[in-house]
Amino acid sequence: ASGAKAAPSGSRSIDGGGGRSARSGGASKAAASSGPTDQKRLIKDAKSRFNIGLVYLKTADYAKAQDNLEHSLYCHIQLNGHNSKKYSNDTLFAVAGVREKLGECYLANAAVVDKCLALDHYDEARRLLRSVDPEDAPDNLKEMLERVEEQLKRPELGGGAAKSRRPPKVTSKYQQEGNKKAKALMGVGAGTGAV
């Protein structure tokens, strides 16, 4: 009866807590339109989660490292969007660093049998590093690019050579013999599709 209305469930409280999580918003437009406070929070979160992920990676706790590194990548995407052509050199370098460490995480984790995710992260890191403007590049850009390219040469990731496997040849003879087997096992109607 005091005249104060309760805040809707989706709104933020005065202290910035409550409401929807950061994951429910859009990309960079949502971060930019929600104010400089959220943008500063995302920048801080991206850096701190990256550093925490590095610590977990060094202690071989790959699940926690992966979680923190992926959250750091998520923050960068929330801040800058998905189009890397619009990234500044600093952002390109930071996102490439996160991608490199995620690749390292997937490669070192024995629980991950298929190393395709590591390959994807290393490929993306290499692409981002190559798109950094050489005039404004950080001092350690060349070293980082060499590290990523060395990782891509590892045998678990295909050894650097793209080994494309050809699909097996499908001949009509094979298909006809397959139909004969189906008819023999299932009866006359199996080849015609009758039910």
Side-chain angles (χ1 to χ4, degrees):
S2 65
K5 293 182 180 178
S9 63
S11 67
R12 293 190 157 285
S13 63
I14 294 172
D15 64 353
R20 298 187 307 196
S21 69
R23 290 184 188 247
S24 64
S28 62
K29 290 180 184 177
S33 67
S34 60
T37 306
D38 284 346
Q39 197 170 11
K40 287 179 183 177
R41 181 186 53 80
L42 283 171
I43 292 168
K44 180 181 173 187
D45 207 22
K47 290 178 183 178
S48 63
R49 288 293 192 116
F50 177 74
N51 290 331
I52 293 168
L54 290 179
V55 170
Y56 282 126
L57 188 60
K58 288 180 182 178
T59 60
D61 191 344
Y62 301 116
K64 289 182 181 178
Q66 176 186 338
D67 184 47
N68 282 284
L69 291 169
E70 284 177 351
H71 188 81
S72 175
L73 181 61
Y74 169 79
C75 290
H76 283 292
I77 290 171
Q78 285 294 306
L79 284 165
N80 304 296
H82 288 279
N83 187 358
S84 63
K85 292 179 181 177
K86 296 181 181 179
Y87 290 177
S88 68
N89 278 348
D90 291 337
T91 303
L92 285 169
F93 193 71
V95 173
V98 174
R99 293 272 190 182
E100 177 193 11
K101 294 305 174 184
L102 272 168
E104 188 177 329
C105 185
Y106 282 111
L107 192 59
N109 191 350
V112 177
V113 178
D114 187 8
K115 303 299 183 184
C116 289
L117 286 173
L119 179 63
D120 290 345
H121 284 296
Y122 282 128
D123 274 341
E124 183 65 10
R126 178 175 58 185
R127 187 187 68 77
L128 291 169
L129 289 170
R130 286 180 176 169
S131 65
V132 172
D133 184 18
E135 291 180 15
D136 300 327
D139 295 336
N140 57 346
L141 175 73
K142 188 176 179 181
E143 297 168 12
M144 190 172 173
L145 187 56
E146 288 172 356
R147 260 193 337 258
V148 168
E149 288 177 345
E150 281 298 314
Q151 290 296 331
L152 285 167
K153 292 178 184 174
R154 293 181 62 147
E156 303 95 79
L157 300 178
K163 299 176 184 176
S164 60
R165 294 173 55 190
R166 294 183 193 155
K169 289 185 178 181
V170 178
T171 63
S172 60
K173 179 181 176 186
Y174 174 77
Q175 290 173 340
Q176 289 172 357
E177 289 176 10
N179 286 338
K180 287 178 188 175
K181 286 181 182 178
K183 286 179 185 176
L185 289 173
M186 302 176 94
V188 179
T192 61
V195 180

